[in-house]
Amino acid sequence: MKKIVLAAVVALMVASVAMALTLPRNETLYFGGSMWGPLTNFNPLNPNHGWGVDLVYPTLFMYNPLTNQMIPYLAESGTWTSNTTYVVKLRQNAYWTDGQPVTAYDVKYTFELPFTVNQLVAVPSLKAVNVINDYTVEFVFSQPNYPNFYGALYGSYIVPEHIWSKMATSDIFSYANLTNPVGCGPYKFLTYNPQEIVLERNDNWWGNDVFGKPAPKYLAELAVSSNNVALGLLLQGQLDISNFYLPGIESLIKPYDLVAWNDKPPYMLSSNTALLFLNNSVAPLNDPQFRRALAYAIGPTSDLTQRVYAGQVPNYVDPLGFLPIESWMQFEDKNVVSQYGYTYDPAKAVQILDQLGYKKGPDGWRTMPNGKPLKLSIICPYGWTDWMAAERIVAEDLQKIGLNVTADFPDFTTYWNNFTSGNYTMAINNFGSGISMTPYTYLYWLFGYPVEQYMYNGNFERYSNPEVVNLLNKISSIPLDDVNALQPLYSEIEQIFLKNMPVIPLWYNGMWYLANQSVWTNFPNAKNPYAFPSTWTNNAVTTASLYLYTGIKPAK
């Protein structure tokens, strides 16, 4: 019966990706996980660009979280020549696909575009970008913001000045760039339709001798209608890599000879942290002691992850939400976590609530200290089935200590509007907790943005603490490798975090990754960790997963 259902699912999907399957199968890598609708934008200066931009346009560096290293990409080297000056030397053999050389003028043009045009470059206190010669560019600061600048070095795509400068500045951001984009990456934009985006290998890529020549001639990112369809395609070998969340795969990995990062639980790497955001601007969530009571009441991470993810993700989460990567964990103060961190202790949660005056009424639900009803809700988007399941578990845990908490699932637009406007009490989110070179990016996302009517970029919990902002500003002015100077500042923030609990880390969200070896082999895993196993948008450079395409091999 299962085989019949699977065959039906695959047949349905094959019909919807007929164009993709006309490519030579032994030369094409098929995958999915980033395309959720038709491609409308291939503009590398617009953060809402579609999949594939990072393989067509270069950044100066890449960042590899597996080794915690910045890797020169379009840059050959980068050096601080003074406390305020950083000099980048470019590779001299890089050419755009129209035959023009890539030069320092392209870098200068890209970094000098106003933020309203190029929202992927945001470098505070950058005073000037100077061209020293055709292949040397100098960045001059009043005072470097190190985390932001390094983020721009591996997260900002360089565009050809000789093409983009001909456009009116007001038109650049809205430019769709869907007709013959001129890049200089390992792949060229080939075609797209509502079901797929296809790139073709750039055989004249300057990086072939540096990084290796990519194995697949074609890359096809597929829009897949559901997790069940993606699973069917993967098991049948029509999808080579899945970066979708696929429930129930733990029983299918060995029978189908699939590659996951680990060959036993947890199967997945950690990609970001899912947190419970508590709206600090509304009572009773404006009380840090009440928030700490919630943290003690939420059951063990192992219970949640086993019930929702069945061993796909780790059975623990750091009390600070720090990802288990070297660049972040080196700054975790274990003494602070031990002294102020929380563990599952519902009796302590009950004790705190009783002391604060949140007594149970006749119906069994706790009331406000003034006797008024206390009702809370948790929101996450409808259809995000793993988050919905997790939300129900958290709501049940809070109900056990007498809190009237409902699990609500609005559509995404309503969820986002309520979340960003502060029209909620509790919500699950992970949008800014992903991998980076430094935990500063995570902490700034949580606490660095000033509270305004609408919060679109971070601080969704609306926590206001000038002391934390001051500490973040100090951290940003210190080089990332000066651990001795940075650690005391991080320790202070961590203590404030755990004492006040503006948000509660819930679990590590997985880097969903499964590969079928019928057409391609030598996929990366924990025993062969040559690449971060992601095909997600931007990950070719932000996690150096470019090496995935140069490392896989055709199956014999």
Side-chain angles (χ1 to χ4, degrees), residues 39-60 96 106 109-111 113-122 151-152 154-161 163-164 167 171-185 189 537-538 541-542:
L39 178 67
T40 58
N41 170 14
F42 204 75
N43 184 341
L45 304 180
N46 187 320
N48 297 316
H49 58 247
W51 173 85
V53 162
D54 52 341
L55 291 164
V56 173
Y57 290 91
T59 53
L60 293 173
W96 300 104
D106 300 311
Y109 172 78
T110 302
F111 274 81
L113 284 168
F115 179 69
T116 53
V117 172
N118 184 4
Q119 294 187 8
L120 292 177
V121 174
Y154 69 81
S156 299
Y157 302 104
I158 309 302
V159 297
E161 185 267 348
I163 294 176
W164 290 76
M167 284 183 273
D171 296 334
I172 291 176
F173 184 76
S174 60
Y175 177 50
N177 196 35
L178 291 171
T179 305
N180 299 320
V182 174
C184 70
F189 184 85
T537 303
N538 301 327
V541 288
T542 56

Side-chain angles (χ1 to χ4, degrees), residues 4 84 108 228 350 410 423 475 483 511 556:
I4 295 174
T84 57
K108 176 180 173 66
N228 286 335
V350 167
N423 185 27
I475 287 171
V483 177
M511 173 61 255
K556 295 182 181 180

Side-chain angles (χ1 to χ4, degrees), residues 336-387:
V336 168
V337 171
S338 175
Q339 184 174 355
Y340 299 103
Y342 60 93
T343 57
Y344 178 53
D345 190 343
K348 188 171 183 64
V350 167
Q351 179 185 24
I352 293 173
L353 293 177
D354 288 343
Q355 290 174 346
L356 293 174
Y358 296 93
K359 305 296 185 180
K360 287 187 179 180
D363 58 0
W365 296 125
R366 292 181 184 271
T367 64
M368 297 288 287
N370 60 10
K372 291 185 178 181
L374 169 56
K375 293 184 179 180
L376 300 170
S377 68
I378 310 173
I379 59 171
C380 78
Y382 179 79
W384 297 28
T385 54
D386 53 331
W387 284 23

Side-chain angles (χ1 to χ4, degrees), residues 405-423:
V405 179
T406 59
D408 297 334
F409 313 115
D411 63 83
F412 180 81
T413 300
T414 302
Y415 162 84
W416 184 244
N417 289 340
N418 290 344
F419 191 46
T420 55
S421 66
N423 185 27

Side-chain angles (χ1 to χ4, degrees), residues 10 21 25 38 77 117 163 206 271 309 358 378 395 418 461 538:
V10 172
L21 298 182
R25 185 65 185 94
S77 65
V117 172
I163 294 176
W206 53 271
S271 179
Y309 294 105
Y358 296 93
I378 310 173
N418 290 344
E461 77 281 7
N538 301 327

Side-chain angles (χ1 to χ4, degrees), residues 497-516:
F497 185 165
L498 294 174
K499 281 183 174 181
N500 290 271
M501 293 311 299
V503 298
I504 302 173
L506 294 177
W507 76 88
Y508 290 134
N509 215 46
M511 173 61 255
W512 314 120
Y513 163 67
L514 289 171
N516 184 302

Side-chain angles (χ1 to χ4, degrees), residues 134-431:
D134 283 353
Y135 299 102
T136 307
V137 61
E138 176 186 75
F139 296 88
V140 181
F141 298 85
S142 53
Q143 165 60 54
N145 181 312
Y146 290 96
N148 284 30
F149 180 51
Y150 280 107
L153 288 177
Y154 69 81
S156 299
Y157 302 104
I158 309 302
V159 297
E161 185 267 348
H162 66 279
I163 294 176
W164 290 76
S165 64
K166 295 177 181 178
M167 284 183 273
T169 302
S170 58
D171 296 334
I172 291 176
F173 184 76
S174 60
Y175 177 50
N177 196 35
L178 291 171
T179 305
N180 299 320
V182 174
C184 70
Y187 284 88
K188 299 179 290 185
F189 184 85
L190 181 62
T191 189
Y192 72 102
N193 65 29
Q195 285 78 43
E196 65 187 346
I197 304 169
V198 180
L199 305 183
E200 182 179 15
R201 188 174 59 209
N202 177 10
D203 287 334
N204 295 320
W205 181 43
W206 53 271
N208 287 335
D209 294 333
V210 181
F211 304 101
K213 184 177 181 179
K217 184 174 181 180
Y218 302 99
L219 303 179
E221 165 76 15
L222 303 181
V224 179
S225 58
S226 73
N227 290 336
N228 286 335
V229 171
L231 179 59
L233 288 172
L234 180 70
L235 298 182
Q236 290 294 308
Q238 305 289 358
L239 198 66
D240 299 304
I241 297 175
S242 166
N243 283 145
F244 298 98
Y245 164 64
L246 301 178
I249 56 87
E250 61 279 353
S251 63
L252 300 172
I253 291 175
K254 290 184 179 180
Y256 283 87
D257 193 28
L258 301 177
V259 176
W261 186 256
N262 294 311
D263 56 12
K264 60 182 180 180
Y267 294 104
M268 305 298 166
L269 281 168
S270 298
S271 179
N272 53 66
T273 304
L275 303 107
L276 183 66
F277 280 79
L278 311 174
N279 190 338
N280 288 208
S281 67
V282 299
L285 296 167
N286 58 352
D287 182 349
Q289 290 305 309
F290 185 90
R291 298 194 298 260
R292 281 183 61 82
L294 300 186
Y296 283 117
I298 296 172
T301 301
S302 58
D303 178 62
L304 184 151
T305 56
Q306 186 58 39
R307 290 170 64 183
V308 177
Y309 294 105
Q312 290 198 49
V313 300
N315 62 4
Y316 69 94
V317 68
D318 181 72
L320 296 163
F322 278 19
L323 286 171
I325 55 177
E326 179 185 349
S327 60
W328 289 25
M329 293 306 292
Q330 66 179 332
F331 292 112
E332 183 193 66
D333 188 327
K334 290 180 172 50
N335 291 328
V336 168
V337 171
S338 175
Q339 184 174 355
Y340 299 103
Y342 60 93
T343 57
Y344 178 53
D345 190 343
K348 188 171 183 64
V350 167
Q351 179 185 24
I352 293 173
L353 293 177
D354 288 343
Q355 290 174 346
L356 293 174
Y358 296 93
K359 305 296 185 180
K360 287 187 179 180
D363 58 0
W365 296 125
R366 292 181 184 271
T367 64
M368 297 288 287
N370 60 10
K372 291 185 178 181
L374 169 56
K375 293 184 179 180
L376 300 170
S377 68
I378 310 173
I379 59 171
C380 78
Y382 179 79
W384 297 28
T385 54
D386 53 331
W387 284 23
M388 291 169 66
E391 182 178 310
R392 290 189 184 98
I393 293 171
V394 173
E396 291 169 3
D397 288 338
L398 298 179
Q399 290 165 7
K400 291 174 183 176
I401 61 167
L403 293 174
N404 188 353
V405 179
T406 59
D408 297 334
F409 313 115
D411 63 83
F412 180 81
T413 300
T414 302
Y415 162 84
W416 184 244
N417 289 340
N418 290 344
F419 191 46
T420 55
S421 66
N423 185 27
Y424 78 99
T425 52
M426 296 184 284
I428 295 177
N429 192 268
N430 66 346
F431 291 1

